[in-house]
Amino acid sequence: MELLHPPSISTYTPKLSFQNFPFPMRNFESIRGKSRSSLVMVVNADSGGAAEKTAATTAVVVEKPMTTERRRFEVLSGKPLPFGATARDGGVNFAVFSSNATSATLCLMTLSDLPQKRVTEQIFLDPLANKTGDVWHVFLKGDFENVLYGYKFDGKFSPEGGHYFDSSQIVLDPYAKATVSRGEYGVLGPEDDCWPPMAGMVPSAADQFDWEGDLPLKFPQRDLVIYEMHVRGFTNHESSETKYPGTYLGVVEKLDHLKELGVNCIELMPCHEFNELEYYSYNSVLGDYKFNFWGYSTVNFFSPMGRYSSAGLSNCGLGAINEFKHLVKEAHKRGIEVIMDVVFNHTAEGNENGPIVSFRGIDNSVFYMLAPKGEFYNYSGCGNTFNCNHPIVRQFIVDCLRYWVTEMHIDGFRFDLASILARSSSSWDAVNVYGNSTEGDVITTGTPLTSPPLVDMISNDPILRGVKLIAEAWDCGGLYQVGVFPHWGIWSEWNGKYRDMVRQFIKGTDGFSGAFAECLCGSPNLYQEGGRKPWNSINFVCAHDGFTLADLVTYNNKHNLANGEDNKDGENHNNSWNCGEEGEFARIFVKKLRKRQMRNFFLCLMVSQGVPMIYMGDEYGHTKGGNNNTYCHDNYINYFRWDKKDESSSDFLRFCRLVTKFRRECESLGLDGFPTAERLQWHGHAPRTPDWSETSRFVAFTLVDKVKGELYVAFNASHLPVTITLPERPGYRWKPLVDTGKSAPFDFLTDDVPERETAAKQYSHFLDANQYPMLSSSSIILLLSPDDNA
């Protein structure tokens, strides 16, 4: 089990929090039409709640001076659905769930007031007129230009009972479609505040986006080549020379690179609103500051990350929404689908020491998985666990996913630590879920469920069952479900076993030839019995967490000192091999071996059944200096190096392009079902004699292809060269196409390679004898073609 996430924030206390400053809110009714130049208000503390426990009860807050232009709203009772702020009937309906709050107040702020921590106007919600069931609601008519909103909730402040209500704090609506706080990435708020004010965008019926007829591409999943990308990291290096580096628009400028690489699907690392300053602290090792760079700590699940937008705070967050939509539309124009990495397993609020931003202040005991005395379960490794299978929470998640599909045109989702989605909620019992008790019902909080309600809802939802659904089928509580994640026939998985088995075999470890062969076939040992297909396996060798491909062949050990944690963070078991010397500075023959190994890994990825996933930068050999946990670096370590990609010596990029193109041209390398003996045949050093013994380091197979005819693919993971005997095909001759043992451009023989025929003839005497020599740690593809001399 791999713990590949930032450390828990349980010990982190923000220097200054929006949620902790005193507001002139409690029992303060909206003042209308009163001629007063200003108002000074002492916060009232006579109604209970957390204010009695803080200095906020005696703080004096000055509201903005009154003017004749003071905003006025017509207040109506409103509707309980839909949740969130919805523009309709000439106004805006606000609806928010809270079952345990005793009072609720809608707070309105102007864009200019937000940084000053001022509330422009507040609307007290009458429990009789503005509440239906557990939903608080109100309908307002008026001028909402440059207006933002949030809520205050009052109730018990009882952490031991799971409640954190505090009417002195304004919280963000979970259904807000854009989150507004700081406008520029990495820049502190006023007074160096890492958690400055946050508020939601008030929508307008005039907010329209021209999709230009964009429709879902709906590629069959078996045809995908996925590229895991970090939006900021992709273009923020100066060598990208983009107009808007580090943004959605920057990615648009570079989409043609992905098209040339052969990618037809990008998987965006978290683009939901998160706070990159969450881990902000000075890093003495590098002399810079630590950031939450990866973004696996969500603040709001409906909002696109605002500081990935070139628009900043313009239009109260609408600019970020439109730029994200523009990215999706432009990707679709190029035949590239867009999948989002979503983090529904936890939020940025952490454990009891974390900030109150949204869910915790609205109804903590509903949204988080709690122990009997209010402690936070930590199956995520990040302080809290989202209570995914609670009826309210699972409906929230489904609503969110639907929004990203219908409104943002997203093609699918990769669910981070998805095994948490399969755990029972902290309110779990048969009566709560099914309406009646069952004999022997002993399910407790966090128990893995065979039919988790949330996964059931998503799998059978009329909108969501038609998009790509990918599970990272493990969590940090030890639940590992690769091959057994509840799937309803449509869920795929990040195949972590593929990564581990392929790494072990290609680096030359004994005992993995059989497991390697399973990987090449799409892991039928994992997916066939459960009724799934090869494309339910998302194959990868490297991803954002762990070594890059170049580092996988350069380092035996992690080198994470740059993280400032004494090299104690990150995974210790990487199944890597440095090819004989540790680090980038090595002898020439070691560097040549490393290049072979990189080609071997990439070739394996592209000839395996299932869906290949490439990690950003691996196509040119990006290095992170052996750091396998770069979650905190907003610098060159995580930035795509366009100068390295463009170097003439980047022969690996050429190889990757050609092998990816070859895969997409072959009918047999993206099968809908697992290959059978009619199509696939295993070989060893001699035809039809595969060696599955513990000491075998050689795997070869032939594959019948309706486009290419027949392929011969072999991997020699031994440290010794070998001459193999090829299967006889009367009237035909094997011709070399790929040989990772050769230097570029002869590693992939295209028609335009200079002296191609000369290079091919070098091995003609072997092929005449139906043989082929392979270097140690090398792999080949041969194609069957008619023998002109037969």
Side-chain angles (χ1 to χ4, degrees), residues 39-92:
L39 176 68
V40 177
M41 190 81 183
V42 178
V43 177
N44 192 346
D46 60 4
S47 62
E52 292 87 337
K53 302 174 178 62
T54 69
T57 57
T58 58
V60 177
V61 178
V62 180
E63 194 177 82
K64 289 182 64 178
M66 303 288 289
T67 70
T68 57
E69 298 180 355
R70 181 174 180 113
R71 191 176 308 278
R72 297 171 184 272
F73 295 98
E74 179 183 355
V75 181
L76 303 173
S77 62
K79 302 290 185 181
L81 293 174
F83 288 131
T86 307
R88 54 185 288 270
D89 301 331
V92 177

Side-chain angles (χ1 to χ4, degrees), residues 642-654:
W642 294 93
D643 51 343
K644 298 293 185 183
K645 173 255 176 185
D646 292 333
E647 286 180 357
S648 59
S649 61
S650 184
D651 49 21
F652 184 60
L653 177 58
R654 171 188 175 271

Side-chain angles (χ1 to χ4, degrees), residues 96-163:
V96 62
F97 163 87
S98 181
S99 60
N100 289 299
T102 58
S103 71
T105 303
L106 174 66
C107 301
L108 302 176
M109 295 147 281
T110 64
L111 192 60
S112 59
D113 277 350
L114 182 66
Q116 305 304 318
K117 304 175 183 177
R118 293 179 179 142
V119 173
T120 310
E121 189 161 351
Q122 61 180 354
I123 311 296
F124 176 76
L125 304 187
D126 185 340
L128 297 179
N130 301 109
K131 187 180 181 186
T132 302
D134 292 330
V135 182
W136 302 82
H137 49 80
V138 67
F139 184 84
L140 302 183
K141 290 186 177 181
D143 180 9
F144 287 98
E145 185 177 358
N146 288 326
V147 170
L148 308 167
Y149 79 103
Y151 290 98
K152 291 189 307 171
F153 291 94
D154 203 0
K156 291 182 180 180
F157 186 90
S158 173
E160 66 278 4
H163 302 300

Side-chain angles (χ1 to χ4, degrees), residues 172-298:
L172 186 65
D173 181 5
Y175 279 81
K177 302 308 185 292
T179 300
V180 178
S181 57
R182 296 172 294 104
E184 188 175 350
Y185 187 98
V187 176
L188 296 168
E191 301 179 6
D192 292 340
D193 192 352
C194 289
W195 288 89
M198 295 182 185
M201 176 191 76
V202 177
S204 168
D207 298 341
Q208 299 294 327
F209 180 80
D210 184 8
W211 280 104
E212 301 181 69
D214 178 71
L215 293 172
L217 297 177
K218 292 188 176 181
F219 292 142
Q221 186 155 315
R222 65 178 181 270
D223 294 337
L224 294 186
V225 175
I226 300 175
Y227 187 90
E228 189 190 24
M229 171 196 292
H230 188 282
V231 167
R232 180 170 172 84
F234 194 51
T235 64
N236 207 52
H237 192 267
E238 58 184 10
S239 63
S240 75
E241 298 182 349
T242 52
K243 186 176 181 181
Y244 300 106
T247 67
Y248 303 122
L249 296 184
V251 173
V252 171
E253 291 187 57
K254 296 295 188 179
L255 285 175
D256 288 341
H257 163 70
L258 303 182
K259 187 72 174 177
E260 294 169 2
L261 181 58
V263 166
N264 61 1
C265 179
I266 52 177
E267 181 180 300
L268 299 177
M269 288 176 64
C271 288
H272 288 154
E273 183 69 25
F274 65 91
N275 182 7
E276 74 277 13
L277 299 179
E278 184 175 349
Y279 314 134
Y280 189 77
S281 60
Y282 182 70
N283 185 351
S284 60
V285 179
L286 294 184
D288 62 2
Y289 288 84
K290 296 175 68 170
F291 286 81
N292 172 16
F293 184 77
W294 282 351
Y296 288 92
S297 191
T298 308

